Amino acid sequence: MPDGRLGVGFIGSGFNARFHMQAWRGVRDADVLGVWSPNAKNAGEAAALCRQLDVGQAKAHESIADMVADPAIDAIWLTGPNHARVENVEEIVHAIEKGKGTLKGIACEKPLARNVAEAKKVTELVKRVGIAHGYLENQYFAPHVETGKSLIWARGAATTGRPYLARAAEEHSGPHMPWFWKGELQGGGVLNDMMCHSALVVRHLLADPKKGMRSVKPKRISAHIASLKWSRPEYVKKLKDAMGSDVDYSKRPSEDFASVQIEFETDDGHTVLGEATTSWSFVGAGLRLSAELLGPEYSMRWNSLDSGLELFFSREVRGKAGEDLVEKQNAEMGVMPVVPLEYIVYGYEAEDRHFVRAFLGKEKPALTWDDGVEVMQVLMTAYQAAEEGRTIDFPPTGLDEFRPAVAKGTWKPK
């Protein structure tokens, strides 16, 4: 690659990877030049999409090691499934240690792993070969979150005192692929899948932008998990029909709702609270992201479905089900909100631009895999609190060995 540009390869070719590829249209200093997937057909289609979007002359690679060895590839975006995370990172590291290639950076999608032990393992591996690392958490970079936080702290907190309560939620009707629904593969249910977003967002909002998130430390965590919808008999059948017979929530359910409350201690001695909710049982127009921040004389509010654009389709309008109006779209009729350029609204473009610049040495990474490890520690503490029905001091002992009952297949909803 020419000096000052980054050649990027993707591990993974699915829904999440394609959000990043669309977002790349707003990234100036990098090109997507490679894709690897265990499904060669999907890798070829994703590479073709990159060429169609004019974000780089991407080609499909035969293996991860082959992509690392490609001199055109300077960094890797890791977007594959949770259960493949350790082996994917191991292959990258082993290729580098054998002298097959070099990398300037590796960015990993949330969550960093399925549990604390795996998160620490991949972090140790990437540090072993001295690669810069970034933790991809798109909602941290969402324009509404960033703008709201900046204004609140510059105007409200600066004159009347720091904020004391943050709320965040991510809610939709359920994931696209079968592995998400399997606790042993994904690492849990909706808490592991999406609370990584919301738990990080509340901490981010409560942290003084001049001091960073480390100035706000988790101290106590309480949580609740439930299967509100998908373990009902009629929805067990629907889930089997959609995802395959081995996704059986009558026998091995995962939680489809989770709520977490995190008590933080600030560096200036205040106690502040974060409330986070995630759901696969939300029925609405589609994916709904929301956040609030409250202080002594101010507040902010964001809801991604308040997009400012609505369409109406009468009963006479017929069409196939799709997601052309909003991610996880649930209807094709009536008054429907539209979220234009979702990859920008959800933060993908800003995060990809940031980590490209970080790997080029132009900025300091806002989030590293160390942050991903701490997020995983918060999630596992939340699972433990939910299972034991009590508030737990953070971090509890034995967290590296802890596995949620959902991931072990032993959890039974009440």
Side-chain angles (χ1 to χ4, degrees):
M1 290 300 297
D3 289 342
R5 294 192 69 77
L6 202 70
V8 172
F10 272 82
I11 292 175
S13 58
F15 182 83
N16 177 261
R18 291 170 188 241
F19 253 114
H20 284 287
M21 291 166 184
Q22 292 180 74
W24 224 265
R25 288 179 285 192
V27 178
R28 298 180 59 183
D29 301 328
D31 303 287
V32 181
L33 300 179
V35 182
W36 176 83
S37 168
N39 185 313
K41 180 176 180 290
N42 289 351
E45 290 175 351
L49 173 64
C50 292
R51 298 192 298 272
Q52 177 188 335
L53 293 171
D54 197 24
V55 297
Q57 292 300 306
K59 67 177 184 179
H61 286 267
E62 293 182 359
S63 69
I64 292 174
D66 177 56
M67 188 157 64
V68 173
D70 187 339
I73 302 296
D74 302 305
I76 285 178
W77 258 236
L78 185 48
T79 66
N82 298 1
H83 57 276
R85 188 79 80 232
V86 172
E87 65 180 271
N88 289 164
V89 175
E90 285 178 335
E91 187 170 351
I92 293 169
V93 169
H94 291 163
I96 292 170
E97 289 181 330
K98 291 178 181 178
K100 292 184 177 180
T102 60
L103 294 174
K104 293 181 179 178
I106 176 170
C108 183
E109 257 298 338
K110 64 79 198 171
L112 189 59
R114 292 179 293 182
N115 50 63
V116 175
E118 288 187 356
K120 286 186 174 181
K121 181 173 183 176
V122 295
T123 303
E124 290 166 1
L125 282 167
V126 77
K127 287 181 177 181
R128 194 169 82 196
V129 289
I131 306 173
H133 43 95
Y135 178 54
L136 293 169
E137 175 42 74
N138 57 283
Q139 290 179 37
Y140 178 100
F141 295 92
H144 295 80
V145 171
E146 280 299 276
T147 301
K149 174 180 174 172
S150 295
L151 290 171
I152 283 286
W153 277 91
R155 295 171 63 88
T159 56
T160 67
R162 65 168 305 114
Y164 42 65
L165 176 62
R167 297 188 179 107
E170 179 172 9
E171 304 159 292
H172 58 63
S173 55
H176 291 90
M177 299 297 291
W179 68 266
F180 280 98
W181 298 88
K182 299 178 182 179
E184 71 277 14
L185 297 182
Q186 196 260 103
V190 72
L191 193 156
N192 200 53
D193 180 39
M194 302 198 315
M195 190 63 74
C196 43
H197 289 302
S198 304
L200 186 67
V201 167
V202 295
R203 186 179 182 186
H204 174 51
L205 289 172
L206 289 165
D208 186 333
K210 296 178 181 178
K211 298 178 180 179
M213 286 199 303
R214 300 288 171 187
S215 65
V216 178
K217 297 184 182 299
K219 301 302 289 185
R220 288 157 51 84
I221 295 176
S222 57
H224 188 87
I225 62 173
S227 183
L228 299 178
K229 176 178 179 178
W230 293 105
S231 57
R232 294 186 179 193
E234 62 270 36
Y235 289 102
V236 168
K237 182 179 184 304
K238 286 187 176 183
L239 196 55
K240 280 186 182 180
D241 292 343
M243 297 293 163
S245 59
D246 57 340
V247 179
D248 187 347
Y249 269 37
S250 67
K251 296 177 180 177
R252 293 176 69 95
S254 298
E255 79 279 0
D256 60 19
F257 175 86
S259 63
V260 174
Q261 185 173 79
I262 308 170
E263 181 181 305
F264 297 97
E265 184 180 286
T266 70
D267 64 345
D268 52 358
H270 289 274
T271 295
V272 295
L273 297 179
E275 295 179 347
T277 302
T278 53
S279 175
W280 289 343
S281 52
F282 171 72
V283 179
L287 169 68
R288 181 171 70 180
L289 307 179
S290 60
E292 294 183 354
L293 184 60
L294 292 83
E297 298 293 339
Y298 52 83
S299 65
M300 64 162 270
R301 178 187 65 84
W302 171 51
N303 184 329
S304 63
L305 292 181
D306 294 339
S307 69
L309 175 63
E310 291 183 342
L311 302 182
F312 172 78
F313 296 113
S314 79
R315 297 185 184 93
E316 301 304 313
V317 177
R318 298 286 187 270
K320 294 181 179 179
E323 294 186 53
D324 50 341
L325 307 184
V326 62
E327 181 187 339
K328 307 295 191 304
Q329 188 173 323
N330 284 324
E332 327 299 324
M333 185 185 299
V335 177
M336 296 288 297
V338 181
V339 182
L341 303 175
E342 289 178 283
Y343 55 87
I344 295 177
V345 173
Y346 302 157
Y348 287 92
E349 182 182 278
E351 78 169 346
D352 289 334
R353 185 186 303 115
H354 166 74
F355 284 111
V356 163
R357 291 178 58 80
F359 294 158
L360 287 170
K362 297 180 179 181
E363 298 178 13
K364 182 180 178 181
L367 296 171
T368 69
W369 289 17
D370 293 313
D371 295 297
V373 169
E374 189 160 14
V375 168
M376 187 54 58
Q377 290 172 325
V378 168
L379 300 189
M380 292 302 109
T381 303
Y383 270 118
Q384 189 173 340
E387 290 179 14
E388 297 180 11
R390 65 186 181 94
T391 299
I392 294 180
D393 292 339
F394 179 85
T397 58
L399 205 52
D400 289 14
E401 292 74 37
F402 177 77
R403 302 291 183 274
V406 180
K408 294 188 290 187
T410 60
W411 181 70
K412 300 298 179 186
K414 294 179 180 180

